[in-house]
Amino acid sequence: MDDDITVEGAVTPEPETAAPETATPETAAPDYRALAADPKAAARATVAVLISRVIVAGLGWVGSVIVARSLSPEGWGQFSFVFALLGLMSVVTDLGVGRVVLARLMDDDAEEIGRTASSFLALRTVLGLVGYVLAVGYVVVLQYPGEVIAATALGGLVVVFATPSHALSVLFQARHRLLLVAVIESLGQGLQLVLTILAAVFAPVLLIFVLPAVLNEAFRAVGKGLAVRRRSVGLRPSRHIDVHRWGAYLREAIPLAIGFALTIAMLKIDVLMLSLLDTFDAVGLYSIGYKFSDMMDTIALAAVAPVSTLLVAAWPHETATFRARSRSAGLYFATFGAVAVAGFWPSAEPLVRLLYGERFAPGSDAARLLVLGAAIMSLILLGIFLLASAGMQRHYPLVALFGLALNIGLNVALIPRLSYNGSAIATVVTFGVTVIMLWVVIERSMPMSGLLAVSPILVLAVVTAAVTVGATLLVDAAPSLWFLISVVAALLVAACGFLLSKRDSRSNSPAPAPAPDPEVAP
């Protein structure tokens, strides 16, 4: 820790009144582990992150509409490919290291905290540069068009800035000081949207549309870097960078890194394969569906964090509570996905046409399937966090490896025949098989059974399918009422999910502890 840092709240006695032998020593550093365990602080941080992610996703979605309408179909496909490739680089730039150093940021020694922070930031910066080189090298080696290589070289700076920026977010997470992070990230996304609008008006070309994302990430990195130096945060990085710590961080992160990398690859590999086996026009049509499913993934990721905290708090001494919370969360996640499917499926084509224009309407079927895939993915995310909450995440990488292999095989078989629709089918089948395998593994690994409310979820799935089919037929018969029909369909499914959740909660809530027998008077 820098020498000029003092402990906030320390009191120095006045020399003329305090005797030397009774001088008060410097106040001890705060108990950061206790701060991290504060449920109220965690709740406030969770709300801030959830609101921020919804704002960021919404503004990003508006920006994508502007870009898609401004570029040609091939240009939009190239834009989508570049950022899908950069998203895949998180396999290299994250490696699960943030989860490893989180505990080290709760140390009692301020100097140790500072050295951990600086070493972690330096490691993530190096990983960001490695990710940038890999992304640019990929498009150069495979001889992509010149405009794609140029866009990747410029857009790849997103990885360079975002990787240390995410590391700074981990530092704030250790103190539940995420409100400031949420504000900075929301402002950065607002800046990106303004610059995107200016690009659409004055220079609607691929390279210019890539630039706002780079400036957004640069703004976030600088803003968090300035904020983390505030002494009240207790996380000011040291001027010393201990490179020798990197090996320990990476070794501890290996189990998490493998599962995380395979999951990201399973999620992103379809766009890359579509770019190799088909055209950029197909990539553009396919990526429209991802704009809707990405919004669902953002909400699911934000919601799973507090659920994970509750599961950790119940493990391993309150297994009945752990089971009840798992079942309740599973039903809520399933209801969220079912509502999205019932609301989006009947109105996908008119909604895509309204937002993105007539030329993207052929991608509506793929968008429907990707939203269905996102609904399934929410249960996969819950399963992963459940295993991590019990310290059993080592069981997941084999499932993810099988899912990745299945996704690649299905894409190779289906893209030449069905183009982007084949890729969407491969995604849904892959996620469907993966969620079944994952929860079978959970059922066999955990010491208690029934962690997923299978029967109610199956009932909800049947109701959702029936409502969706009926709503789709009604939209075909009365196209002008597509919005009203979709809203009614979503409300019906939401009501069904709510009732099933209440019923399951009543029948599976932990039994109260038996009251002690009253003492018998002699």
Side-chain angles (χ1 to χ4, degrees), residues 457-517:
I457 289 177
L458 289 177
V459 171
L460 179 63
V462 171
V463 171
T464 302
V467 170
T468 301
V469 170
T472 303
L473 293 175
L474 287 175
V475 170
D476 291 340
S480 60
L481 299 177
W482 62 269
F483 181 76
L484 177 62
I485 293 170
S486 289
V487 170
V488 172
L491 290 175
L492 287 174
V493 171
C496 177
F498 177 78
L499 294 174
L500 290 170
S501 298
K502 287 295 184 182
R503 179 180 178 184
D504 189 76
S505 178
R506 286 195 299 268
S507 58
N508 289 278
S509 58
D517 294 334

Side-chain angles (χ1 to χ4, degrees), residues 34-110:
L35 291 175
D38 183 359
K40 293 183 179 179
R44 290 192 296 269
T46 299
V47 171
V49 171
L50 181 59
I51 294 174
S52 171
R53 286 184 177 177
V54 171
I55 292 173
V56 168
L59 294 177
W61 183 49
V62 173
S64 74
V65 173
I66 295 171
V67 176
R69 284 181 168 272
S70 301
L71 291 175
S72 66
E74 184 178 17
W76 166 248
Q78 292 172 342
F79 179 90
S80 302
F81 164 78
V82 167
F83 283 98
L85 174 62
L86 297 178
L88 187 59
M89 288 303 105
S90 60
V91 169
V92 176
T93 58
D94 186 272
L95 294 180
V97 178
R99 300 162 182 81
V100 171
V101 303
L102 199 57
R104 300 172 188 256
L105 296 172
M106 304 172 192
D107 199 275
D108 296 330
D109 185 357

Side-chain angles (χ1 to χ4, degrees), residues 39 74 127 425:
E74 184 178 17
L127 292 175
I425 293 171

